[in-house]
Amino acid sequence: MAGQGPILRSVESTTETDTNGLTRAEVAERVASGKTNAFSADTSRSAWSIVRANVFTLFNGIVFACFLVLFLVGRWQDALFGLAAFANAIIGCVQEFRAKSALDRLALMNAPRALVLREGVQAEVAPGEVVLDDVLILRAGEQVPADARILTSHGLQIDESMLTGESDPVEKQPGDDALSGAVVVGGEGTAQATRVGADSYANRFAGEAKRFSLVSSELRASVDRVLKWVSWVIGPVGLLVLNAQIIVGGGYATVFSSGAWVQAVVNTIAALTAMIPLGLVLMTSIAFAVGASRLARRQVLVNELPAVEGLARVDVVCLDKTGTLTVGEIGFDVAHPLAGSTTELSGTAAAVLSWFAASPDANATARSMATAYPVTQPLVVRGYVPFSSARKWSAVTFAEIPGTWVMGAPEMVFGDVATSDATELGRTVTTLAETGRRTLVLGRSETPLSETDIESEQLPSELTAVLVLTFREQVRPDAAQTLEYFTRQEVGIRIISGDNPRTVAAIAREVGLDVAEGYDARRLPEGDAELADVLDRHSVFGRVTPEQKKRMVTALQSHGHTVAMTGDGVNDALAIKAADIGIAMNSGSPATKAVARLVLLDGQFSHLPDVVAEGRQVIANIERVSMLFLNKTVYATLLAIMFGVLVLEFPFLPRQLSITDGLTIGIPAFFLALMPNAARYVPGFLRRSLSFAIPSGVVVALGLTWYTFVARGLGVQEEQLRTGATVILAVVGIWILAVLARPLNRFKVIVVGAMFVLLIAVFTIPLARAFFVLVDPGEDLAIALTGITIVMVAAIEVVRLLHRRLVLSPKKGSTTRVGARPSTATTPPARVVAGIITTVVVVLAYAFGVLATGFGILVFLGRYDPDVSTSAFSLAGAAIALFGLLVLAVAAGIRRGSGLSRLMLTIFLGVAIALNAVVIVFGERWDWGAAVTVLVAATLITLMWSPPVARGFGRIRESSMGAARP
């Protein structure tokens, strides 16, 4: 490193140049050779690289190319999908610019000035203008601008806790090292700069911490993996679809001469854009942003949006003691009188303690007694030996009080007697020290301090111990309850500190952890595997260096743990950077806050449970809506492949897919992603999502292919075929939405119902019908698509049932489901009868749902009048189909004995009865379908509210609906 030569000079050989500082020529020479303290470490991500990474991606290229092609061929109506790509790029750029901005603000060196000695004259310079070998003048309140070797010291005390984790100020002697970034808290002295710029201790942290890295996010990683998979197939599939569309249009020669190639290109673009789950990326970003906004209201700053989900996945939390569990300050505990003392605490000793607490050179420990022992009457000092961290005691003789009073470390004042079990002092000190509290002793001698005692700094003779004083670090009041929360959530706790292991263990016990003793980090093994084993067996560690903190985090990660690290000092920065989720206190250093993913602005440790809850909501809800988006990706990919292989014209226009994308996936997904959800995180997000999305996507693709062959067999026009396909996809999409929204509550019913109403509006308002090219499919096609829709709805229900049973079901030995019925072996006959009737109700509910959905579609399409936008029969049929789907959705709640499900089912059935009555009354002929539907609905209502069955339902407010997994 630069400057190694001058560092090797001993203090005794300090030259006159050292004493007077550098000359101007020497300073200029070092500036010319680059040996200055100037330091600037940019992040590895430039603004251009962020834009390039978020805008110039493969998928944005595909989407924007499709977007541009449609504009060039004059089909802007089909280019609505491009808006999602624009939104994704903007959100991604904003997110990473925020992270870059936080990193660029990193500044370990906050000192506004530095004092140096040059040519024997003090000079004030900027910290960056300090050069190698400069003589630094250090005074209380100043920050050390560069690594230095102490030349002179007059009670010089430096606080290096932010760098090393040691909570006690260190008294520096000539020859000792001082670290850049440390703060002088007492005395004064001079030092010679030994390492400057990037070589200094603090700036080595800065360089390491400022390396750009995105927070680990399972959601983002899973979505990226899906996008990567799609990227492998989108090119070949696109060529396959384009070839099929050209052949369907009459062949290459015909389509290019007639202009039919435009429709072939539009159909191909419709197939390709449907394969890309752009909405899922957008929805994930929105969920993160909303979560971050909610946390901001709780005084939690989110530096990077995916960190919102991070703590929901964390299974080990590493805590720094000083500044995290404690407030970083020493507090007076209590005074323990010794039996042999003849001095009363309320008298002379109290006055002496008040003087020690208020003395001009009192350290932090002594000052902490000021509240308990305020000065009531000033004392006149006759002789005084000031405190020294080397001696660890101070002594004073007063004019008003006879004798000499000594306060200091017991073993330094009384030697072995202070640790011997044979003396009361020894027993008291040992017992108190084992609790982790710091101990001082107040002693008294009848002999006043002599000039010799003061000059030689020696203790007076015949000292007697009067009091043992205990001090403890002030524990944050919310620490215990927060750790208890993590313990309940089965999250492991590791307390990591630079302090004495015994002290750390005592603090750990104080906040509720069951630990016998701390592990001395000086005994940690060098091998990473052995280190990970030690971390699995122990939970409290002391004497940990900053480099060891980082090693400990990575060792835990090597054993499959997701690790959160909290801290406030520079010494925590590397570990916080290496952790999956770094959490900083706002009182901490700028370095720590800049590299942390989360910052607790008010320093309240108790906000962490809020962060966990927010993260769980994001993960659980995004998992739910991801099934919607991935289902579309699966069926779109399969449709593209099958229609390409079978040489069929693609059954949708891009704008028609925008209907189903927006109203059955995009808009409802936005609401579902922001709903409360307290489900605990379980690894395997992508596996669970795909295990539903793939089979349900296969059902949709096969159903639409089946429909296409039926429609071609009926000889319908292309616009009729597309309208029927859009109806099928819309109804099945609403059903998939309702299935994934289970268990339904009032809010979810409103969301599902509103989407269905909007779909009906699209199919009935003339302007919307014209824009989306929707026509009357005809009676034969209406009957065919109704039957196919019912089969697809039933198949989706089977897929979800198997998905819940095989993938989402709890492990063996878990608690019984809410609403589960007890064994009939010990159940009274009346309850057995009620159970049988309840089963009949559930079966009838499913039957009614299928019947009402099919009948509603037939009424809607069979009486479709393109010249009348508000046909009563069309609207009544659509409403019947909607409530049929809702009945299907809540039937599962009846099986669980949900009171809310019974209430909602009763309402849905009542509305369905009224709607079918409209069809019967205003129809030209008697409608048996409507009559059967009314009869089944009335039977269901009667059975549900009959006394034997009614007793089996829980109260509405006790419904289990809020606790289920996605």
Side-chain angles (χ1 to χ4, degrees), residues 128-342:
E129 296 176 2
V130 173
V131 299
L132 187 67
D133 296 329
D134 250 332
V135 174
L136 311 173
I137 299 174
L138 306 178
R139 293 173 180 167
E142 302 287 347
Q143 191 174 39
V144 182
D147 291 357
R149 181 72 53 82
I150 302 298
L151 299 177
T152 62
S153 171
H154 300 284
L156 181 66
Q157 290 185 320
I158 295 180
D159 180 3
E160 297 177 337
S161 61
M162 297 291 280
L163 295 161
T164 65
E166 291 278 2
S167 58
D168 290 329
V170 180
E171 182 161 336
K172 296 294 184 179
Q173 302 296 332
D176 292 343
D177 289 327
L179 299 177
S180 54
V183 178
V184 179
V185 295
E188 61 181 9
T190 60
Q192 188 172 41
T194 56
R195 288 188 296 271
V196 294
D199 291 334
S200 69
Y201 186 80
N203 287 336
R204 288 209 310 275
F205 276 107
E208 178 74 17
K210 294 185 77 169
R211 294 178 186 172
F212 182 87
S213 65
L214 286 172
V215 64
S216 173
S217 166
E218 184 183 6
L219 295 181
R220 183 176 56 198
S222 298
V223 172
D224 288 345
R225 195 179 312 163
V226 171
L227 294 178
K228 184 177 181 181
W229 292 341
V230 174
S231 71
W232 293 339
V233 300
I234 198 168
V237 169
L239 294 175
L240 181 66
V241 173
L242 180 60
N243 177 70
Q245 303 312 298
I246 290 176
I247 293 175
V248 169
Y252 283 86
T254 302
V255 298
F256 285 107
S257 61
S258 65
W261 64 271
V262 173
Q263 189 59 50
V265 169
V266 171
N267 290 348
T268 302
I269 289 176
L272 294 183
T273 54
M275 294 169 56
I276 304 173
L278 286 170
L280 179 57
V281 182
L282 178 60
M283 200 56 57
T284 302
S285 297
I286 290 174
F288 284 155
V290 172
S293 176
R294 288 172 176 165
L295 290 175
R297 292 196 293 270
R298 296 185 177 100
Q299 297 298 301
V300 178
L301 173 65
V302 180
N303 274 346
E304 202 171 330
L305 292 183
V308 174
E309 68 154 297
L311 267 182
R313 297 185 292 107
V314 164
D315 59 358
V316 174
V317 176
C318 296
L319 306 168
D320 175 55
K321 177 184 70 66
T322 305
T324 304
L325 291 181
T326 67
V327 296
E329 298 176 1
I330 293 295
F332 175 68
D333 181 32
V334 68
H336 305 266
L338 298 173
S341 172
T342 59

Side-chain angles (χ1 to χ4, degrees), residues 768-816:
R769 289 205 311 269
F771 180 82
F772 291 106
V773 195
L774 302 173
V775 299
D776 183 359
E779 184 176 354
D780 292 338
L781 190 59
I783 295 173
L785 72 87
T786 299
I788 292 171
T789 300
I790 294 300
V791 172
M792 293 171 66
V793 165
I796 293 294
E797 184 67 25
V798 172
V799 168
R800 182 57 169 172
L801 178 63
L802 294 175
H803 181 246
R804 295 186 67 89
R805 291 287 178 85
L806 302 179
V807 180
L808 302 183
S809 60
K811 305 284 185 182
K812 290 182 178 180
S814 62
T815 56
T816 307

Side-chain angles (χ1 to χ4, degrees), residues 385-386 388 391 393 452-459:
V385 178
S388 163
R391 297 189 314 272
W393 59 265
T452 304
D453 292 335
I454 296 174
E455 290 178 4
S456 60
E457 297 183 343
Q458 66 182 21
L459 289 166

